[in-house]
């Protein structure tokens, strides 16, 4: 019943609800082990492990440690005529089992937490990229109205998604709609040799944080090597 209720899409699975349901399931598993034959004890430990994977490790480990003495007493009562040494073995076995379950549950919880943090960071980066793309699109539309041509460069100053206006200005297949002919080309190739170092220094300075917006006049050359300003 508890598992079916947790699987109901209409049920809001809050952390508090998961902790409560996990505790109830753990108590039910303990009740089911009363009088259980020793041969079925592995199934008992598997059921306990399953219960503790539904919530955070701190709560599950506390419940596991709290129930450990009761499991020892339960095992002892299943064999009332057993020697005292069996009680000692039951205690040692329970401590080992609890320690292993705590190790497994804590490891799983840590990995899930790291995965959740990585997912949140990835979503934040995707959102930043989307916002940057939107801002970049608005800037491109503005530049297409105010400038003869505009271009986007990669971090190593290579042309990225060149515009039709840049293609025409550099006389690359003049009049063609295929702007991919410039994609990936080094932009400094189309800057006059005497201005290439100035351009590189200007980009490096402008890329610094809080750098003011500036402009730079350079001579350029088209695909035929003809220099123009």
């Amino acid at each position: 019943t508890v598992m079916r209720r947790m699987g109901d899409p209409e049920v809001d699975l809050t952390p508090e609800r998961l902790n409560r349901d996990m505790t109830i399931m753990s108590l039910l598993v303990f009740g089911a082990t009363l009088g259980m034959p020793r041969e079925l004890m592995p199934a008992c430990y598997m059921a306990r492990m399953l219960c503790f994977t539904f919530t955070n490790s701190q709560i599950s480990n506390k419940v596991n440690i709290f129930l450990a003495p009761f499991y020892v007493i339960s095992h002892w009562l299943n064999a009332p005529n057993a020697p005292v040494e069996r009680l000692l073995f039951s205690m040692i076995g329970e401590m080992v089992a609890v320690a292993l379950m705590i190790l497994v549950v804590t490891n799983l919880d840590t990995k899930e937490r790291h995965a959740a943090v990585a997912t949140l960071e990835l979503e934040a980066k995707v959102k930043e990229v989307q916002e940057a793309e939107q801002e970049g699109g608005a800037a491109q539309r503005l530049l297409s109205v105010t400038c003869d041509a505009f271009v986007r460069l990669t971090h190593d100053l290579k042309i990225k998604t060149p515009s039709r206006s840049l293609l025409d200005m550099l006389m690359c297949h003049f009049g063609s709609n295929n702007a991919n002919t410039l994609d990936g080309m080094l932009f400094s190739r189309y800057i006059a040799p005497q201005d290439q170092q100035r351009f590189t220094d200007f980009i490096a300075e402008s890329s610094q944080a809080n750098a003011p917006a500036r402009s730079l006049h350079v001579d350029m050359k088209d695909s035929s090597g003809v220099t123009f300003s």
Side-chain angles (χ1 to χ4, degrees):
T1 302
V2 176
M3 293 290 292
R4 185 172 64 252
R5 185 173 56 187
M6 292 177 63
D8 189 350
E10 297 181 358
V11 175
D12 186 15
L13 292 179
T14 61
E16 294 76 14
R17 188 182 188 92
L18 286 174
N19 293 338
R20 185 192 64 187
D21 291 346
M22 183 274 301
T23 304
I24 294 175
M25 290 174 61
S26 300
L27 294 174
L28 292 176
V29 170
F30 171 73
T33 60
L34 296 176
M36 177 181 290
R38 188 175 184 83
E39 292 76 12
L40 298 180
M41 282 300 138
C44 166
Y45 290 114
M46 292 298 296
R48 292 169 65 180
M49 179 67 69
L50 178 64
C51 294
F52 297 139
T53 57
F54 284 102
T55 185
N56 66 79
S57 59
Q58 294 181 350
I59 299 298
S60 61
N61 291 340
K62 290 179 181 178
V63 175
N64 200 2
I65 294 174
F66 173 78
L67 291 177
F70 296 97
Y71 276 103
V72 173
I73 296 174
S74 173
H75 299 336
W76 173 251
L77 293 178
N78 284 343
N81 297 324
V84 180
E85 289 79 5
R86 183 169 180 178
L87 176 61
L88 179 61
F89 291 149
S90 298
M91 294 174 61
I92 296 175
E94 183 64 21
M95 286 190 295
V96 172
V98 169
L100 291 176
M101 283 188 283
I102 290 176
L103 179 62
V104 172
V105 172
T106 302
N107 187 39
L108 290 175
D109 190 43
T110 301
K111 289 183 177 180
E112 290 179 357
R113 187 180 297 109
H114 289 169
V117 171
T119 301
L120 292 176
E121 292 178 351
L122 180 60
E123 291 178 351
K125 291 181 180 179
V126 170
K127 185 177 181 180
E128 291 178 359
V129 171
Q130 292 176 345
E131 292 177 352
E133 290 291 339
Q134 293 176 356
E135 294 177 356
Q140 287 184 10
R141 289 191 293 271
L142 178 61
L143 291 174
S144 64
V145 176
T146 58
C147 302
D148 294 333
F150 64 90
V151 62
R152 296 179 61 184
L153 302 179
T154 62
H155 67 282
D156 52 356
L157 302 183
K158 291 183 178 180
I159 299 174
K160 179 180 180 182
T161 58
S163 63
R164 164 71 183 279
S165 57
L166 179 68
L167 189 74
D168 292 342
M169 186 177 70
L170 297 180
M171 301 295 182
C172 297
H173 299 283
F174 184 76
S176 172
N177 289 322
N178 184 13
N180 293 329
T181 54
L182 290 178
D183 199 9
M185 299 292 293
L186 195 63
F187 184 69
S188 58
R189 173 181 177 181
Y190 298 98
I191 297 178
Q194 66 273 15
D195 290 331
Q196 289 183 1
Q197 187 60 45
R198 292 178 54 236
F199 174 77
T200 303
D201 295 340
F202 174 80
I203 292 296
E205 295 174 0
S206 301
S207 301
Q208 299 295 326
N210 301 323
R214 297 183 303 162
S215 62
L216 176 70
H217 178 80
V218 295
D219 291 335
M220 300 188 66
K221 58 181 181 178
D222 60 20
S223 57
S224 301
V226 179
T227 302
F228 65 94
S229 298

